[in-house]
């Protein structure tokens, strides 16, 4: 077995003349972030090194402090340290505050800043894909399948984009109901109707309006196995020719995506979300804000796909 803690460590002092960045997590060996950041660096002609850092569960704070003390410029944070990263930072962006979690850390004027680009990464990816369909998130009827951590993380960013309505359906109905109750207290949810539905009854319209959705997001962990949270027949009943089927899992064609394609729907995995959240961090670190469109998102997605 390879020793993860040796191969994945990054010492900024070992890369003279380069700005050094890394992604930190537990586990971390699978992370595609180095490929994405290397792609953006090459595209924009910047001299950086981006590596992976494995941290023991009880050593996150000291690992981060050591990295910055040695001259590191910025960190991406992945599972399970996003909450700890948020708490560690002295300065927090508004969207990090809303998520109460952070996936980006950097120093500015002697203070540790954090941001959360996961939500905006998802909505930028969805906007990009919907644009191909001549559609947008604004006023869209959205169905979220699942009521775990992944589902929870997408609700606030979708509401911020002023989608028309959000329906949450989950294998365990009570969890979908809990999630809806939790978000109904937030200010933005007042403008976006939020409802929980029983997953098997999604095709039974409870109003006069159509029971099809513009966007169906699979936020369940079912794609990691070989299952889809809904049958192909049910997917057919709740979609129309313009529906986008989006699976938050990446690196594989899930059953949910296969079913959607067989029904003639546009389907996508979540790799674009990973690339977009990286692009937002890269823009902050390299002062490219406002130049969103210059980073080659499609090229970075293709670069990661080539590694599978
Ligand atoms: P994550 O942080 O990835 O969301 P989680 O919090 O454990 O992980 O949530 C997993 C979600 O996937 C839940 O909504 C779960 O449904 P239950 O609440 O009924 O357990 C859903 N899930 C997992 N496997 C599934 C499957 N085979 N079919 C349908 N839903 C599934």
């Amino acid at each position: 077995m390879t020793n993860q803690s040796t191969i994945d460590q990054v010492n900024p002092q070992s890369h003279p003349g380069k700005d050094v960045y890394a992604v930190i997590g537990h586990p971390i060996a699978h992370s595609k972030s180095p490929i994405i950041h290397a792609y953006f660096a090459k595209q924009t002609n910047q001299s950086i090194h981006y590596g992976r850092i494995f941290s023991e569960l009880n050593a996150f704070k000291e690992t981060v402090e050591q990295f910055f003390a040695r001259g590191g410029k910025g960190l991406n944070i992945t599972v399970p340290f996003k909450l700890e990263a948020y708490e560690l930072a002295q300065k927090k962006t508004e969207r990090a505050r809303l998520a109460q979690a952070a996936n980006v850390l950097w120093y500015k004027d002697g203070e540790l800043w954090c941001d959360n680009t996961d939500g905006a990464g998802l909505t930028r990816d969805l906007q990009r894909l919907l644009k191909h369909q001549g559609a947008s998130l604004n006023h869209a009827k959205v169905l979220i399948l699942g009521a775990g951590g992944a589902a929870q993380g997408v609700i606030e960013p979708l509401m911020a984009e002023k989608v028309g309505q959000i329906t949450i359906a989950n294998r365990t109905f009570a969890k979908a109901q809990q999630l809806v109750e939790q978000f109904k207290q937030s200010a933005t949810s007042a403008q976006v109707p939020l409802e929980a539905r029983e997953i098997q009854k999604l095709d039974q319209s409870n109003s006069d309006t159509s029971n099809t959705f513009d966007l169906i997001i699979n936020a369940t962990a079912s794609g990691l196995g070989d299952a889809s949270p809904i049958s192909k027949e049910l997917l057919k009943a709740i979609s129309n020719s313009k529906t986008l089927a989006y699976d938050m899992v990446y690196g594989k064609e899930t059953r949910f995506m296969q079913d959607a394609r067989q029904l003639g729907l546009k389907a996508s995995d979540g790799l674009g979300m990973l690339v977009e959240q990286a692009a937002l961090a890269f823009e902050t670190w390299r002062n490219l804000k406002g130049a969103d469109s210059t980073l080659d998102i499609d090229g970075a997605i293709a670069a990661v796909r080539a590694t599978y």
Side-chain angles (χ1 to χ4, degrees):
M1 216 175 101
T2 48
N3 183 345
Q4 232 180 6
S5 23
T6 353
I7 57 166
D8 290 328
Q9 300 311 298
V10 180
N11 181 356
Q13 291 165 345
S14 309
H15 303 276
K18 286 191 171 173
D19 286 346
V20 177
Y21 300 86
V23 57
I24 177 167
H26 180 127
I28 200 62
H30 65 284
S31 173
K32 300 292 181 190
S33 291
I35 295 165
I36 302 169
H37 284 274
Y39 185 90
F40 290 147
K42 192 170 175 210
Q43 188 212 329
T44 54
N45 263 324
Q46 312 212 19
S47 177
I48 73 161
H49 173 81
Y50 188 109
R52 300 186 192 95
I53 299 176
F54 174 81
S55 169
E56 292 299 346
L57 295 177
N58 59 4
F60 176 73
K61 185 170 183 280
E62 61 186 84
T63 308
V64 168
E65 284 170 352
Q66 198 179 47
F67 176 81
F68 284 115
R70 291 178 179 177
K73 294 290 180 193
L75 287 172
N76 279 132
I77 317 300
T78 187
V79 178
F81 299 123
K82 292 184 185 186
L83 186 62
E84 245 182 289
Y86 175 76
E87 284 165 356
L88 189 61
Q90 292 140 304
K91 295 279 187 177
K92 306 164 203 298
T93 62
E94 179 63 25
R95 55 196 184 191
R97 233 180 266 282
L98 275 172
Q100 299 274 300
N103 70 322
V104 193
L105 285 174
W106 73 103
Y107 265 91
K108 192 175 143 194
D109 303 329
E111 287 178 304
L112 186 61
W113 275 80
C114 75
D115 190 11
N116 189 315
T117 62
D118 287 333
L122 172 74
T123 52
R124 281 209 335 193
D125 192 37
L126 291 172
Q127 295 285 29
R128 185 179 60 88
L129 293 164
L130 286 167
K131 208 169 160 188
H132 295 314
Q133 321 253 92
S136 91
L137 281 176
N138 195 224
H139 300 304
K141 270 183 76 182
V142 183
L143 170 63
I144 299 172
L145 299 169
Q152 180 171 354
V154 307
I155 297 171
E156 193 73 54
L158 286 172
M159 291 195 299
E161 294 297 315
K162 299 190 172 58
V163 295
Q165 138 189 356
I166 298 177
T167 300
I168 302 172
N170 190 43
R171 182 173 61 181
T172 312
F173 182 50
K175 275 167 74 181
Q177 287 176 304
Q178 274 166 24
L179 208 53
V180 166
E181 286 316 309
Q182 180 189 330
F183 278 90
K184 275 200 165 156
Q185 279 143 31
S186 105
T188 27
S189 71
Q191 290 139 34
V192 180
L194 204 58
E195 62 164 15
R197 295 270 300 274
E198 288 191 55
I199 200 161
Q200 298 310 335
K201 296 188 182 164
L202 279 167
D203 53 344
Q204 297 168 20
S205 177
N206 57 2
S207 69
D208 294 337
T209 56
S210 139
N211 54 9
T212 69
F213 296 91
D214 303 311
L215 170 63
I216 303 176
I217 300 175
N218 183 15
T220 71
S222 67
L224 301 171
D226 190 31
S228 170
I230 55 174
S231 69
K232 195 166 155 188
E233 291 68 38
L234 182 54
L235 179 59
K236 186 176 181 190
I238 60 171
S239 55
N240 58 55
S241 62
K242 291 212 153 183
T243 300
L244 170 65
Y246 189 90
D247 204 313
M248 292 179 75
V249 164
Y250 56 81
K252 69 179 281 190
E253 182 86 0
T254 63
R255 173 62 57 89
F256 170 74
M257 289 164 63
Q258 287 168 18
D259 287 352
R261 286 195 217 284
Q262 282 165 16
L263 291 169
L265 303 178
K266 170 107 174 133
S268 176
D269 70 355
L271 185 54
M273 172 186 173
L274 179 78
V275 170
E276 292 280 14
Q277 66 75 30
L280 288 159
F282 191 88
E283 285 163 14
T284 298
W285 290 335
R286 309 305 296 174
N287 270 323
L288 300 175
K289 280 205 169 149
D292 309 358
S293 56
T294 63
L295 290 181
D296 177 7
I297 302 297
D298 289 329
I301 290 174
V304 178
R305 285 213 201 283
T307 67
Y308 287 121

